[in-house]
Amino acid sequence: MQFVEELVVDEFLPTVRSLLAGELRDRGLTQSEVATVLGISQSAVSKYAHGDVATNDRIAADERVDSLVDELGAGLASGDITPVQALIEIEVLIRELETGGDLLAQLHEEAVPELADHGSSFRVHDPENDRRTSERVLSSLRRGLRILENASGFAGLIPAVGSNLVACTPDASNIDDVAGVPGRIFDVKGKATVPADPEFGVSEHVATVLLSARRHGATAEAAINVRYDADVLAELEEQGHETAEFDESDDVGSSVGAAIDDHPDATVLYQTGGPGIEPLIYLLGPDAEAVSDDVRSLL
């Protein structure tokens, strides 16, 4: 009898640690620094470096593993990602790979063939509990924020009120189900500045726009606000986005809902402002990374 956790400990983690150790060494960290970042001994780092630790070729070759190792290597080396954040993102990937039919589930079924009798709908773990769902949302949001922070020129799209990138759980019903940046993203001397790690329940305005759009049929799970500019709006339309205008009023939810009712496929909402109201554009998308990529395409 072999549990999937044993496979994770015996094959997945050594493979990922080996790849991460090599990535961090390639980025200039010393053996001691790598050991500190990964929370392992220097002798273990040495073993990884010399290939003395057995790794799983199928895990190492998986595109998602390779992409995450590259992303975490860059973030850990620069200090943009903490070891705790890296741990959460690795945990999220493990749960994804454990679902029926995916890599770790396949490896587990090969080790315990009887599991295959449960069919393709079998789930080694339940990936949909609230804690894991929240972790996935925050993980996606952090990746989206890194895209924006590294996007040259993004600061120029930040409105005076600040931007906020938000993402929600699949069954979001209120602001507490929407994660965003506490205090919003601001332009500080030409650089986009994210003041704190994302949290649930900290966004009101952008979260309200997202939730209102969803209540009227939009499938988006993420959104961002940027400054209004007719050329930006035209570029978004050129890229294939359907746009819809709404009136900025005391009841933003109703105005957004009416816009979505008239334009159910809209992925860009905008309002042109008024007395004391700054004009803004809102981009909607399936997740925070997709929304950030849409913003980056404007630069």
Side-chain angles (χ1 to χ4, degrees):
M1 179 185 295
Q2 182 183 35
F3 293 97
V4 70
E5 287 82 2
E6 295 176 75
L7 191 150
V8 170
V9 171
D10 295 339
E11 298 192 41
F12 183 86
L13 292 180
T15 300
V16 170
R17 281 183 178 139
S18 178
L19 295 172
L20 262 178
E23 183 74 19
L24 292 170
R25 289 287 282 165
D26 289 345
R27 292 180 181 275
L29 272 68
T30 66
Q31 185 169 296
S32 175
E33 289 171 332
V34 172
T36 298
V37 168
L38 298 184
I40 58 179
S41 66
Q42 289 192 50
S43 62
V45 175
S46 178
K47 288 179 180 179
Y48 287 132
H50 291 91
D52 295 335
V53 176
T55 58
N56 185 297
D57 292 340
R58 285 168 63 184
I59 293 173
D62 188 273
E63 290 184 2
R64 290 161 296 182
V65 173
D66 181 66
S67 176
L68 184 60
V69 166
D70 181 68
E71 179 184 321
L72 295 183
L76 289 167
S78 66
D80 291 338
I81 297 177
T82 68
V84 171
Q85 290 171 337
L87 176 64
I88 291 172
E89 299 206 17
I90 292 172
E91 172 77 8
V92 169
L93 179 59
I94 289 172
R95 300 313 166 199
E96 178 183 341
L97 297 179
E98 282 180 346
T99 56
D102 218 322
L103 179 61
L104 288 177
Q106 291 173 13
L107 293 173
H108 194 205
E109 288 183 358
E110 290 170 12
V112 187
E114 295 82 0
L115 289 175
D117 295 337
H118 288 270
S120 61
S121 64
F122 174 67
R123 294 295 183 268
V124 181
H125 289 290
D126 173 15
E128 301 303 330
N129 67 55
D130 292 343
R131 176 65 179 272
R132 288 173 183 164
T133 297
S134 297
E135 287 178 352
R136 285 197 295 273
V137 171
L138 290 171
S139 178
S140 175
L141 197 49
R142 282 190 289 269
R143 288 194 290 270
L145 288 168
R146 285 197 291 275
I147 291 172
L148 295 177
E149 287 180 294
N150 295 324
S152 177
F154 169 59
L157 287 176
I158 298 176
V161 296
S163 289
N164 210 333
L165 177 65
V166 304
C168 69
T169 58
D171 58 352
S173 61
N174 58 58
I175 289 173
D176 288 336
D177 299 321
V178 183
V181 178
R184 302 186 184 182
I185 308 166
F186 285 99
D187 174 4
V188 179
K189 297 182 178 180
K191 179 177 175 58
T193 301
V194 179
D197 287 339
E199 300 176 17
F200 279 91
V202 297
S203 171
E204 182 174 350
H205 191 77
V206 183
T208 296
V209 170
L210 176 61
L211 290 170
S212 299
R214 286 172 54 83
R215 290 189 188 107
H216 286 259
T219 59
E221 294 187 10
I224 190 173
N225 65 314
V226 297
R227 68 175 177 82
Y228 175 84
D229 183 285
D231 290 337
V232 169
L233 197 62
E235 176 63 23
L236 288 167
E237 291 173 344
E238 181 69 22
Q239 292 181 11
H241 290 277
E242 181 172 340
T243 63
E245 183 176 5
F246 70 96
D247 293 328
E248 182 68 70
S249 65
D250 291 337
D251 190 355
V252 174
S254 295
S255 297
V256 169
I260 292 294
D261 288 341
D262 291 339
H263 303 273
D265 295 324
T267 52
V268 173
L269 305 173
Y270 69 96
Q271 49 87 10
T272 55
I277 299 175
E278 184 178 12
L280 296 169
I281 294 174
Y282 300 83
L283 283 76
L284 310 179
D287 54 53
E289 295 141 289
V291 170
S292 296
D293 282 333
D294 284 340
V295 172
R296 183 168 56 182
S297 72
L298 297 170
L299 305 175

